[in-house]
Amino acid sequence: MITITLKDGSIKTYEPGITVLEVANDISTGLAKNTLAGELNGKLVDVRQSITEDSTLNLLKFEDEGGKHAFWHTGSHLLAQAIKRLYPQVKLAIGPAIDNGFYYDIDIDVIITPEIMEKIEKEMGKIVKEGLALNRYELSRDEALAKVNKEGEIYKAELIENLPEDAIISFYSQGEFSDLCAGPHIQNLSPIKAIKLLSLAGAYWHGDEKNKMLQRIYGITFPKKSQLEEYLTLLEEAKKRDHRKLGKELDLFSLHEEGPGFPFFHPKGVIVRNELENFWRQEHQRRGYQEIKTPTILNSDLWKRSGHWDHYKENMYFTEIDESEYAIKPMNCPGGMLVYKTKGHSYRDLPLKMGELGLVHRHELHGALHGLMRVRAFTQDDAHIFMTPDQIEEEVIKVIDLADDIYKIFGFSYKVELSTKPENSIGSDEVWETATEALRKALEKKGIDYRINPGDGAFYGPKIDFHLEDSLGRTWQCGTIQLDFQMPELFDLNYIGPDGEKHRPVIIHRTIFGSIERFFGIIIEHFAGKFPVWLAPVQVMIIPVADAHHDFAKDIAAELSAIGIRTSVDTRDEKLGYRIRDAQMQKTPYMLVVGDKEAAGGDLALRVRDSGDVSLISLEDLKKKLTEKIITKSLTLD
RNA sequence: GCUGAUGUGGCUCAAUUGGCAGAGCAGCUGAUUUGUAAUCAGCAGGUUAACGGUUCAAGUCCGUUCAUCAGCUCCA
């Protein structure tokens, strides 16, 4: 007999070889029905998996990540089955579950149109009605290859050939359809009650642009119709938050054909940017950073020396001055190196922290451009920390803390990644190993969960990245901490140690916002345009009831402006309701309606953006309230 | 860069099978003087992304380029 420890801590004994599903069934038939996959000793497994030794088992439902995963993976098989029924000539590539649904990459001689997608969706519905059960079976490598070759599934054949020697090769079948798949899958197609094919895109086989472009169909399925409706509503909501749309509506920035990827910031957008930058400066000064500015255009020799010429050239813009070649900076570091070298340094100066809000230009592929999130010119909130090797861990931790402090102000959650040595890199493996280990140690010391992103480091060193999420659930890299042993060598940087000898410093390159532009885009979506008071371009809109109250309104505005509150008066000859609506749609945090009562010395009628509530408040109390909200960078208006 | 889609006043969108480019909002002018999410009237605004082609006639069909969107690739 074996013992199985369940999630609630209860322990059950069974014959060895019992399956996950049988365990679920033993507990209750209802649970068995809702069990989509299992987590056996921490590993995601199929419900058909048999258990042969003492184990811990978690039964996963749709509410669990692993359960969703199995459900959607089966969705992708259903999609493939439907396509195969309609177009038997199709060649299937891969069809995984993703965070929100699934996709299948297919190679087919017809161009999939929205009409065809509808047809496929209908076919999927029909197949579900057949109530097919899924079966798992294993084949030897030779048998598997023979099977897929017979079917003409060239992509599957390639997948099998690339599987490791000892891999178990499993297939899942449902009715006439079967697919190479590691699983897990759900038991039966009937729980799929709602199906939606969402979008269509091209995707290279193996993600390599040298390979054939396949057609990728994205879809999602749910056990309940209402869940699909909710999901579609969520997508609509997310679209409303799109920073490109809000940027236009709130008059923050614009993009023009004349400068693809080069955003134009309007007066209101510049206010927000400036607030972000002021906040940044304040937080950095407080932590001993100094600020520098380095030029945008620098001689090519510098870029050759820094390694950018060899490792970053395809992303750089060039120009010529007096017959010499110059480059427009894609990064701030080489300029920072030159500043460091302008004088000698003692170990007593270290760590030396030099920040720079530097405008960099990078040639991004035109298909990659995306609003403010992905541009060709952006301001990095850069800083270089020059330090002794034994200061590394402490300084990395300080940067992690700084990032956390800054993200907290906005109420962001984030994910952390550790990126290791890329192919196109400089420096020895030993140095890379030391640097990567230092970053890992810092993360572990802070107890931060992180994911390894192999081969994604900068060409000069490994990095820790902070990823923030946008309204559509896409994540964007913002902060980054990069450890660099190369630039100090290349630029022959040194400091005089306590021993009176020259030593090599180590550098941390780091950003918190990453790019002011991207961060701006993310906060627009994060707040849905409803900025907290400290960031709002107009903090108070004063709306006089009639012309007779204009002077009084302007007096109040002057009082508020005098203490630094961004105040406007809407003197347009429109009805009150119209101007309130306008201020509301501009997402102005506070509105003051002033008329006879206020002019006669009464309290002010304050309307709050989020609640629409109106309350009376004296001018003095209002000043106090607003000042407090602004200084504390409060996320609420109340 | 690749695959697919899209491109009409500042914005959102109309315009049968090719047949006089139109509306709402925003803007301007006037009337109205308003108490918490849209007052009324008038005016103005377009080489239909650009260039080329087919046609008696092109927003509409064809070609090229550009930009945008969804992905891929890449990345802050």
Side-chain angles (χ1 to χ4, degrees), chain A residues 42-79:
Chain A
K43 246 185 77 191
L44 192 60
V45 296
D46 195 87
V47 285
R48 282 151 284 242
Q49 173 80 38
S50 55
I51 308 170
T52 52
E53 53 184 20
D54 291 353
S55 303
T56 58
L57 176 65
N58 187 3
L59 298 167
L60 303 174
K61 298 184 285 249
F62 189 74
E63 290 67 39
D64 302 298
E65 278 310 307
K68 273 200 182 78
H69 202 272
F71 194 83
W72 284 335
H73 203 157
T74 302
S76 93
H77 279 206
L78 172 61
L79 168 60

Side-chain angles (χ1 to χ4, degrees), chain A residues 77 135-140 144 160 163 167-172 179-183:
Chain A
H77 279 206
N135 291 301
R136 181 178 186 277
Y137 60 95
E138 291 175 11
L139 292 180
S140 72
I160 294 169
L163 285 173
I168 295 166
I169 301 174
S170 62
F171 284 79
Y172 279 82
D179 195 1
L180 169 74
C181 188

Side-chain angles (χ1 to χ4, degrees), chain A residues 182-329:
Chain A
H185 278 277
I186 60 176
Q187 312 157 39
N188 190 293
L189 292 181
S190 10
I192 301 176
K193 298 291 188 216
I195 301 165
K196 182 77 189 168
L197 295 184
L198 296 164
S199 60
L200 195 62
Y204 302 107
W205 172 233
H206 286 320
D208 185 338
E209 61 181 303
K210 289 183 207 84
N211 289 334
K212 184 165 185 189
M213 171 73 70
L214 308 172
Q215 296 189 73
R216 174 172 297 179
I217 302 176
Y218 286 87
I220 196 161
T221 49
F222 289 98
K224 285 185 193 159
K225 280 222 166 71
S226 61
Q227 286 168 319
L228 173 62
E229 277 158 31
E230 268 169 47
Y231 178 72
L232 294 176
T233 320
L234 192 80
L235 284 187
E236 299 265 307
E237 280 304 311
K239 265 191 208 155
K240 285 187 201 156
R241 290 178 169 236
D242 191 312
H243 76 283
R244 293 166 298 186
K245 181 171 144 66
L246 285 169
K248 215 181 271 179
E249 287 171 4
L250 303 181
D251 197 13
L252 300 171
F253 66 90
S254 55
L255 290 157
H256 303 269
E257 278 196 25
E258 290 82 351
F262 301 125
F264 290 61
F265 288 89
H266 299 195
K268 286 180 178 169
V270 170
I271 289 173
V272 179
R273 278 187 69 130
N274 286 345
E275 285 295 343
L276 290 174
E277 291 180 7
N278 293 343
F279 171 51
W280 185 90
R281 288 201 167 93
Q282 182 192 313
E283 292 301 313
H284 284 74
Q285 276 162 14
R286 186 186 282 179
R287 289 170 177 81
Y289 283 78
Q290 296 171 289
E291 188 175 345
I292 60 170
K293 281 277 182 221
T294 67
T296 297
I297 302 179
L298 292 163
N299 193 287
S300 292
D301 291 341
L302 178 74
W303 303 103
K304 285 175 185 158
R305 186 170 189 184
S306 68
H308 287 84
W309 191 268
D310 289 334
H311 297 270
Y312 210 72
K313 202 175 176 202
E314 66 283 7
N315 281 302
M316 292 169 66
Y317 297 113
F318 297 93
T319 186
E320 200 174 276
I321 301 175
D322 294 341
E323 287 160 38
S324 329
E325 191 161 23
Y326 280 72
I328 299 173
K329 69 174 174 183

Side-chain angles (χ1 to χ4, degrees), chain A residues 293-513:
Chain A
K293 281 277 182 221
T294 67
T296 297
I297 302 179
L298 292 163
N299 193 287
S300 292
D301 291 341
L302 178 74
W303 303 103
K304 285 175 185 158
R305 186 170 189 184
S306 68
H308 287 84
W309 191 268
D310 289 334
H311 297 270
Y312 210 72
K313 202 175 176 202
E314 66 283 7
N315 281 302
M316 292 169 66
Y317 297 113
F318 297 93
T319 186
E320 200 174 276
I321 301 175
D322 294 341
E323 287 160 38
S324 329
E325 191 161 23
Y326 280 72
I328 299 173
K329 69 174 174 183
M331 295 188 195
N332 300 303
C333 27
M337 301 304 117
L338 295 184
V339 174
Y340 181 87
K341 278 176 77 76
T342 53
K343 61 179 180 185
H345 294 278
S346 149
Y347 71 96
R348 295 173 198 275
D349 301 337
L350 307 186
L352 179 69
K353 307 174 185 186
M354 288 203 294
E356 171 168 16
L357 291 167
L359 177 62
V360 299
H361 289 71
R362 298 183 183 175
H363 181 71
E364 298 293 342
L365 295 177
H366 104 267
L369 302 179
H370 180 93
L372 293 183
M373 305 296 204
R374 194 71 186 280
V375 294
R376 285 177 173 159
F378 59 97
T379 308
Q380 278 188 312
D381 62 317
D382 220 336
H384 296 100
I385 301 171
F386 301 86
M387 61 201 172
T388 65
D390 58 343
Q391 289 171 330
I392 294 176
E393 193 176 307
E394 188 186 344
E395 288 307 313
V396 170
I397 286 175
K398 279 187 188 163
V399 178
I400 292 174
D401 287 339
L402 171 58
D404 188 65
D405 285 348
I406 290 185
Y407 295 150
K408 230 187 290 176
I409 292 291
F410 300 89
F412 275 125
S413 57
Y414 53 85
K415 292 193 182 112
V416 177
E417 283 183 8
L418 175 62
S419 298
T420 58
K421 187 168 183 272
E423 274 174 33
N424 179 17
S425 61
I426 50 179
S428 71
D429 284 352
E430 293 74 46
V431 169
W432 272 86
E433 185 51 37
T434 314
T436 310
E437 216 27 61
L439 291 180
R440 188 197 305 276
K441 256 198 210 150
L443 283 172
E444 267 153 25
K445 202 157 182 181
K446 289 298 294 175
I448 292 174
D449 269 343
Y450 64 93
R451 206 174 67 89
I452 302 269
N453 198 355
D456 205 40
F459 71 81
Y460 46 76
K463 57 179 187 166
I464 292 172
D465 291 325
F466 296 82
H467 295 258
L468 305 185
E469 214 170 78
D470 78 2
S471 65
L472 291 166
R474 291 181 283 216
T475 58
W476 297 94
Q477 183 180 327
C478 289
T480 177
I481 305 174
Q482 310 178 346
L483 207 47
D484 178 8
F485 291 88
Q486 313 304 333
M487 294 293 154
E489 290 294 332
L490 297 171
F491 283 87
D492 188 29
L493 304 188
N494 45 58
Y495 65 90
I496 306 299
D499 54 2
E501 299 292 319
K502 277 188 185 176
H503 296 273
R504 223 24 121 209
V506 181
I507 299 175
I508 290 174
H509 304 243
R510 41 108 295 175
T511 64
I512 310 293
F513 292 146

Side-chain angles (χ1 to χ4, degrees), chain A residues 50-123:
Chain A
S50 55
I51 308 170
T52 52
E53 53 184 20
D54 291 353
S55 303
T56 58
L57 176 65
N58 187 3
L59 298 167
L60 303 174
K61 298 184 285 249
F62 189 74
E63 290 67 39
D64 302 298
E65 278 310 307
K68 273 200 182 78
H69 202 272
F71 194 83
W72 284 335
H73 203 157
T74 302
S76 93
H77 279 206
L78 172 61
L79 168 60
Q81 184 175 20
I83 297 170
K84 200 120 201 188
R85 281 193 184 180
L86 294 169
Y87 303 95
Q89 77 276 27
V90 69
K91 291 190 182 6
L92 302 173
I94 51 163
I98 51 177
D99 287 352
N100 288 299
F102 54 84
Y103 66 79
Y104 219 111
D105 282 351
I106 58 169
D107 183 0
I108 190 170
D109 50 1
V110 287
I111 292 166
I112 306 292
T113 59
E115 293 73 45
I116 291 180
M117 294 217 333
E118 251 175 68
K119 232 170 78 185
I120 297 171
E121 204 177 285
K122 276 210 188 106
E123 189 64 31

